[in-house]
Structures are given as C-alpha cells and as structure tokens.
C-alpha cells in the first residue's frame, strides 16, 4: 500500500502542477472511487483507488527526464497566449513534462524538463542550493570592485543574494566575458545582479546545472538524462 496526498498523485500523473491540482480538487473536478472530493487533505492509494478528473480516469505516467539546450526566443512556460515557441515544443515525448525553473526568453542554455514534480520541487527549493553556471557577455570593462560586490552578494528586491562565484574570461574597454555561478533561482537573477554593478548584458547562457553541462548538446537539441544523472539530481542535499 502506498498512501499519498491526492494532489501529489494527480501531479505525478501529469494532470498539472501540484498547486493547480489542489485548485482542481477544491473546484470539484476530482472523484475518488466514484465519490466527489472537494476538500483537502485527501489521501489515496494510487495502486487501488480509481481516480477520475472531469470524468476521465487518470493513469500513472512513466517518469521522464530531459536536458534541453534552449535557444533564444523560446519561453519556459507550459502555455502562452501569444503563441510563442515553448521549451516543451522542442521535445517529442508522450508525457506531460514541464520546465524545472525558468530561463527568460533572451537567455539560452540548459534547462531540465520532467514530469517528476517531487524532483522539480527539490531542485528549485532554496535549501538545496543547486549551483547554476552562466556565461555572460557584458557591455564595458568589469572592474575588480564590481567582481567583489558580486562575490559578496547583491541587494535585490527580494533581499540580499548569496555570493556568486566569478571567473573573468575576457576583459577589455568595450566588453567583458565572465562566468558566474549562483545557488539561488530568483527571477532574472544574474541579469539583475550584473545591472546592480552597472553592467548591461549582451548575451547570457546557462552552461551548467550542478555537474550537468552543455557538452555535446547543440542549441535547440535535447537528450534524455541518464540513470546516473537522475540519481545524482535526486541525491542533491543528501550528501555530506
């Protein structure tokens, strides 16, 4: 027997995010063994209970894990009223996958897509401090005081960021190329941090998520994560 919260089971079946599934339950769209449930918490056994959403029986989806090298102009939402190209459109799979976190439309590089809501919640939770590395091409010369400020953390609207790990790859009067690693996932965090020290971003690419890299993965291409990579991601925060 595996007793779980109903919204967790719905999310695992690819119905929607766990929060959206909670709303769906409260709106009266879910039945368990033929009985309408519209209050929380509700606990079910997905191996035995018959669960329907708007009259349709749900089925367990196999877990899917993809790594995508996102091109510029592609967005990381599951739907878009403007009809823009989405990251999920670039992956041919039967499961209802979603992006783990987001990259803004102008930022390229790595993003994980999955239907494993537990893993997604873990990877985006601040306590696990998943490092993400970016390559930023910025306008002008980045000076040592700016680097030190970034290393110590920058005050944004949400509060002070954690310190960034910095590596200057190129520095000239007109342009600088820097590698910056952060462990938070604030909205447009790297761009905003650089802006706070007077640096405008010409291009931004995420090159690493933890130990996952863009190596061998062309822009716009995706691949399945290996079993070892999935185990590594699931083990984040369990070591040491």
């Amino acid at each position: 027997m595996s007793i779980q919260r109903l919204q967790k089971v719905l999310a695992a079946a690819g119905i929607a995010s766990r929060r959206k599934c909670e709303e769906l339950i409260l709106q009266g769209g879910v039945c368990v063994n033929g009985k309408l449930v519209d209050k929380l918490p509700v606990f079910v056994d997905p191996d035995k209970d018959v669960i329907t959403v708007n009259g349709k029986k749900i089925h367990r989806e196999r877990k899917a894990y993809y790594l995508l090298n996102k091109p510029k102009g592609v967005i990381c939402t599951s739907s878009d009223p403007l009809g823009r190209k989405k990251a999920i459109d670039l992956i041919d799979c039967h499961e209802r996958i979603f992006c783990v976190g987001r990259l803004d439309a102008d930022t390229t590089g790595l993003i994980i897509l999955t239907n494993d809501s537990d893993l997604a919640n873990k990877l985006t939770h601040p306590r696990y401090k998943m490092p993400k590395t970016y390559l930023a091409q910025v306008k002008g010369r980045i000076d040592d005081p700016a680097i030190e400020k970034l290393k110590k953390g920058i005050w944004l609207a949400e509060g002070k960021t954690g310190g960034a790990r910095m590596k200057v790859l190129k520095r000239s009067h007109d342009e600088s190329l820097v590698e910056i690693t952060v462990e938070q996932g604030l909205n447009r965090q790297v761009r905003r941090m650089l802006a706070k020290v007077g640096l405008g971003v010409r291009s931004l690419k995420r090159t690493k998520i933890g130990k996952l890299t863009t190596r061998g993965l062309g822009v716009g291409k995706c691949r399945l994560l290996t079993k070892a990579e999935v185990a590594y991601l699931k083990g984040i925060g369990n070591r040491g």
Side-chain angles (χ1 to χ4, degrees):
M1 181 186 294
S2 176
I3 301 300
Q4 301 177 36
R5 291 181 183 271
L6 178 56
Q7 62 267 37
K8 180 178 179 180
V9 174
L10 294 176
I15 301 302
S17 68
R18 196 175 300 186
R19 181 175 295 179
K20 291 292 185 182
C21 288
E22 290 176 356
E23 295 174 4
L24 185 62
I25 294 166
L26 296 175
Q27 291 166 1
V30 182
C31 290
V32 178
N33 299 323
K35 182 179 179 180
L36 177 69
V37 292
D38 57 5
K39 295 181 180 179
L40 293 171
V42 177
F43 296 90
V44 296
D45 183 345
D47 293 323
K48 295 182 179 180
D49 292 323
V50 177
I51 303 167
T52 59
V53 175
N54 296 326
K56 295 184 179 180
K57 184 179 177 181
I58 70 166
H59 299 278
R60 281 190 168 186
E61 285 190 318
R62 72 174 181 88
K63 292 291 189 289
Y65 307 91
Y66 291 89
L67 189 66
L68 171 69
N69 189 348
K70 187 187 84 68
K72 187 174 181 179
V74 172
I75 63 173
C76 292
T77 57
S78 296
S79 61
D80 180 54
L82 301 178
R84 292 171 292 181
K85 177 80 74 176
K86 304 183 295 295
I88 57 175
D89 297 332
L90 302 179
I91 299 178
D92 183 17
C93 73
H94 297 294
E95 291 73 31
R96 183 171 175 172
I97 57 176
F98 52 86
C99 294
V100 178
R102 291 186 182 182
L103 292 176
D104 63 67
D106 290 332
T107 300
T108 64
L110 290 184
I111 189 149
I112 295 169
L113 295 97
T114 184
N115 58 354
D116 187 337
S117 57
D118 286 336
L119 179 61
N121 290 334
K122 184 173 188 177
L123 294 181
T124 54
H125 197 289
R127 69 177 289 190
Y128 295 109
K129 298 183 178 180
M130 169 62 83
K132 295 171 283 291
T133 300
Y134 297 80
L135 192 63
Q137 185 181 44
V138 299
K139 302 173 186 176
R141 181 181 178 86
I142 185 170
D143 57 24
D144 292 339
I147 293 171
E148 289 306 310
K149 287 179 182 178
L150 292 164
K151 285 182 176 180
K152 292 178 180 178
I154 298 292
W155 283 98
L156 301 177
E158 300 90 335
K160 191 176 183 181
T161 69
R165 297 198 295 273
M166 301 289 301
K167 184 185 293 185
V168 179
L169 305 178
K170 174 185 175 183
R171 182 157 46 182
S172 67
H173 176 73
D174 298 323
E175 181 179 274
S176 300
L177 187 65
V178 295
E179 184 179 84
I180 178 168
T181 300
V182 297
E183 293 181 340
Q184 293 163 290
L186 302 178
N187 183 42
R188 298 173 67 88
Q189 179 177 344
V190 174
R191 291 180 184 273
R192 292 163 65 201
M193 289 176 70
L194 291 168
K196 282 286 187 176
V197 295
L199 296 169
V201 175
R202 285 180 171 161
S203 68
L204 186 64
K205 178 181 181 179
R206 184 193 281 169
T207 57
K208 295 180 183 177
I209 301 175
K211 69 179 185 181
L212 304 180
T213 74
T214 54
R215 186 177 303 164
L217 195 62
V219 176
K221 302 297 182 181
C222 69
R223 66 171 177 83
L224 286 166
L225 291 179
T226 67
K227 290 182 179 180
E229 289 169 335
V230 174
Y232 157 72
L233 294 173
K234 289 184 175 181
I236 293 292
N238 298 337
R239 304 174 180 87

